Amino acid sequence: MIPNGVTPADDQIAADIFGVTVGYWQDKKHWTKIPGLKLLNREGSRRRVFSKEQLLAAQAEEERAKALNEQPRYNLPPVPAGENPNDLLDLHESLLALPESRRVALATWKTYRYGTKTRLPEPDVILGGKKVDGETVGGEEFWHRRTILDWDKDRPGRGNPTGRPVGVKESHPRPPNQQAGERRQRTRQLLEEQPGITAAALAVELDVHPEYAQRLLTAARQESNILPHTAQLAQDRRERTRQLLDENLSGLTAPMLAEELGVHRVHAEGLLNAARQEKLRALLAERPGMTVEDVQATFGFRVTAHARTLFDKVREAQ
């Protein structure tokens, strides 16, 4: 969280203040040598965030001490405590700012950022990043606490809490549940793309309870065993997708894959996404310091959000 009244600064801004390159700043970990300098980023986030006011004070003290040939005596301005409507929150922190009864699963919350039905407001601040075709890419997004809370006031609730009284049976059979059918179909597709998928991973993907995900997964596996030739075809498609991705890592698209495999574009998108996740896991094992920007460049994504989604999925599964 970035408290109200604090100007956020990332590694690049910090390096500029101290007159060094960002690589030197990160290599020397100079922030660890400044008593009282507070990290404002949430634990587990990928970008360090400092108070610009504290950085400026620290740099001025180091210049003063250097001129007098003495050790710096840091006296940094304090970072405000408590909650304020103008605090800046990242995507994860924004979810936690809501009352517990209004929170959704983190995976669902992430879809709200780029969704078409339920959609979060645009961020109030984007820290870092670069301008590409008029869009800031690669930055860290933050919302004022009041922005999220005001948006939540207009968000529909979880539906009508009333229902059929206990013990009263339905007079007519229910019509087929379209959502349930879509979940079964998506489960079969994911099982084809990722034979080793777990119920926990499926629950996150479908935003359902793990027990329900386990039932869906069991049914899908039983169905695939009944059709062994279909399972072999699915395996062949997965292997061909991995091969094509290795040959054209940054240029392979779902339409190209659909034409090559003779499948529907939606199916091709699922196969390509699974292959990209597998490839990214291998890349992260070799280069654990990869960033969203690296993922975007590696796979040729034009939109940073696509790279961030892929990066987050692989990180969450680790």
Side-chain angles (χ1 to χ4, degrees), residues 112-126:
Y112 288 178
R113 174 62 187 98
Y114 306 103
T116 55
K117 294 182 179 179
T118 302
R119 185 178 176 89
L120 292 177
E122 291 301 308
D124 294 300
V125 172
I126 300 179

Side-chain angles (χ1 to χ4, degrees), residues 201-218:
L202 180 63
V204 173
E205 177 70 28
L206 301 181
D207 190 25
V208 297
H209 192 279
E211 291 184 3
Y212 180 44
Q214 183 62 65
R215 292 199 296 270
L216 289 170
L217 192 55
T218 299

Side-chain angles (χ1 to χ4, degrees), residues 134-303:
E135 178 191 4
T136 301
V137 299
E140 189 81 10
E141 299 173 335
F142 295 90
W143 290 260
H144 287 300
R145 188 184 302 276
R146 57 178 165 78
T147 299
I148 293 298
L149 294 179
D150 289 345
W151 169 85
D152 183 61
K153 291 177 183 177
D154 298 326
R155 182 165 62 102
R158 292 181 177 272
N160 187 346
T162 62
R164 187 174 71 254
V166 176
V168 176
K169 296 182 179 180
E170 294 177 300
S171 57
H172 302 286
R174 294 187 183 185
N177 187 319
Q178 180 179 354
Q179 186 181 47
E182 291 173 351
R183 284 171 175 162
R184 288 192 294 270
Q185 181 178 355
R186 179 61 176 151
T187 300
R188 290 192 292 267
Q189 180 182 348
L190 287 169
L191 183 61
E192 179 178 330
E193 297 161 3
Q194 307 172 52
I197 189 171
T198 64
L202 180 63
V204 173
E205 177 70 28
L206 301 181
D207 190 25
V208 297
H209 192 279
E211 291 184 3
Y212 180 44
Q214 183 62 65
R215 292 199 296 270
L216 289 170
L217 192 55
T218 299
R221 282 180 171 147
Q222 290 175 346
E223 182 178 341
S224 66
N225 289 335
I226 296 173
L227 301 173
H229 65 282
T230 302
Q232 182 59 52
L233 178 60
Q235 178 64 24
D236 292 342
R237 286 171 175 168
R238 287 192 296 270
E239 291 180 358
R240 181 57 178 156
T241 300
R242 288 192 289 266
Q243 178 185 354
L244 290 170
L245 185 63
D246 286 338
E247 295 171 357
N248 190 5
L249 193 59
S250 63
L252 183 62
T253 64
M256 293 166 56
L257 183 61
E259 182 176 355
E260 172 70 23
L261 300 181
V263 298
H264 192 276
R265 177 172 175 173
V266 174
H267 190 182
E269 287 176 351
L271 289 168
L272 183 55
N273 185 49
R276 282 171 172 163
Q277 290 185 40
E278 183 179 336
K279 186 67 176 179
L280 181 54
R281 279 192 290 272
L283 292 173
L284 283 171
E286 299 173 357
R287 299 165 53 197
M290 285 186 72
T291 64
V292 172
E293 292 83 354
D294 295 330
V295 175
Q296 183 174 8
T298 299
F299 292 98
F301 291 123
R302 294 184 178 181
V303 181

